[in-house]
Amino acid sequence: MKTLSKVLLISLLGLLYGCATGLTPALSKQEIVSLPEVDRIQTRELGDRLVGKLERTTMDSVRLNSDWATKKNFAGVGHIIKAGMMKPVGTNGKNQEVFSPDEVYINGGILNGTPLDRVATVAMAFISEDRLCWMTEAICAPIAIWERATYIDYSLPYFEQELIFNGRVDNNLKFIYREFSGQMARGAFTQEVQYDLNESNIIGFKGARLEVIEATNRNITYRLIENFPNRD
């Protein structure tokens, strides 16, 4: 009897959630972020980033700031959607933005605590008239627990460069250069570099150039002349 009940519940979930057919894929955009502003005098401390460039692919999304326990249905079953960023999926036939949460658990019934992705192929949230709803417009999140956010897709082109101040020894300035691809720092592209202020107060590395105005072992005042060049 218990097995039959489970089969019926899984079938019901399948009918409720179905497949995400008829969706228009979410739009993405390429962004290049360069920091700080060129020609502006900056003061930073030991370990701070002096120069940075970020190339990323983003999409409009939503973030849950706390776990959301949805209203339970007639069978006493609801869901717990864990806090975090939701992945944009696309827009449906009503031109509503649709999102997929990272973690969802069944709340109540014989499958209580089971991850939803074990019994349903697709689980979707959507925006309806500025409300974040779950599967139906009758189940919507409290306004206080969610907000609009930017989703970064690390499976698409993502590249970050930064030059970090690493102190001064005598008249030598030390820096750390790092590259990130995806979510991981690539060890082969983490490099320590050193410059002698007796030779010049203009520091150049991988196309980025900055003028050192004043530096101690703990602080540096500088002006960015040119950021890292864009990649081809």
Side-chain angles (χ1 to χ4, degrees):
M1 186 67 179
K2 185 175 180 181
T3 302
L4 178 59
S5 298
K6 184 179 290 188
V7 170
L8 289 173
L9 182 55
I10 291 174
S11 298
L12 178 60
L13 287 169
L15 289 173
L16 286 173
Y17 306 136
C19 297
T21 56
L23 290 176
T24 301
L27 296 177
S28 63
K29 56 185 177 182
Q30 300 288 325
E31 289 185 346
I32 297 178
V33 180
S34 298
L35 296 171
E37 184 180 341
V38 172
D39 285 331
R40 183 176 178 180
I41 295 176
Q42 311 277 337
T43 298
R44 295 289 183 265
E45 295 183 347
L46 182 70
D48 284 348
R49 178 177 62 187
L50 305 183
V51 188
K53 172 156 284 189
L54 172 62
E55 301 176 30
R56 64 187 184 183
T57 303
T58 65
M59 290 179 273
D60 293 333
S61 185
V62 296
R63 178 193 293 112
L64 278 180
N65 295 316
S66 61
D67 294 351
W68 173 21
T70 68
K71 181 171 64 177
K72 293 184 177 180
N73 61 18
F74 63 90
V77 177
H79 300 98
I80 295 177
I81 305 170
K82 302 299 287 184
M85 185 76 68
M86 293 192 185
K87 182 176 181 178
V89 178
T91 54
N92 60 22
K94 296 181 180 180
N95 203 33
Q96 297 167 325
E97 298 169 83
V98 180
F99 309 94
S100 177
D102 189 46
E103 290 184 81
V104 184
Y105 297 89
I106 296 174
N107 183 23
I110 59 176
L111 296 180
N112 184 55
T114 301
L116 185 58
D117 58 8
R118 293 186 184 179
V119 295
T121 304
V122 177
M124 297 295 174
F126 62 94
I127 298 292
S128 175
E129 298 179 351
D130 294 325
R131 300 176 301 161
L132 178 64
C133 301
W134 178 246
M135 303 300 173
T136 169
E137 293 182 2
I139 303 176
C140 297
I143 294 175
I145 71 168
W146 71 278
E147 62 183 347
R148 288 282 189 173
T150 298
Y151 177 86
I152 300 174
D153 193 337
Y154 293 101
S155 67
L156 296 176
Y158 179 91
F159 187 69
E160 184 175 359
Q161 297 171 278
E162 60 180 11
L163 190 65
I164 299 168
F165 179 53
N166 199 32
R168 175 174 180 168
V169 177
D170 296 327
N171 222 32
N172 294 314
L173 294 183
K174 299 190 297 181
F175 303 90
I176 297 174
Y177 171 77
R178 295 194 299 193
E179 288 183 4
F180 297 82
S181 181
Q183 291 177 296
M184 302 298 292
R186 301 191 298 180
F189 291 91
T190 298
Q191 182 178 348
E192 294 186 5
V193 292
Q194 184 168 297
Y195 292 89
D196 187 350
L197 285 176
N198 288 323
E199 295 183 3
S200 175
N201 68 331
I202 303 298
I203 306 300
F205 190 78
K206 286 189 175 289
R209 296 171 66 238
L210 57 90
E211 176 191 5
V212 177
I213 298 171
E214 184 178 1
T216 68
N217 190 45
R218 300 184 61 86
N219 299 281
I220 184 170
T221 299
Y222 69 102
R223 178 179 66 89
L224 181 63
I225 299 172
E226 189 174 1
N227 208 310
F228 299 111
N230 294 338
R231 297 190 303 162
D232 294 333

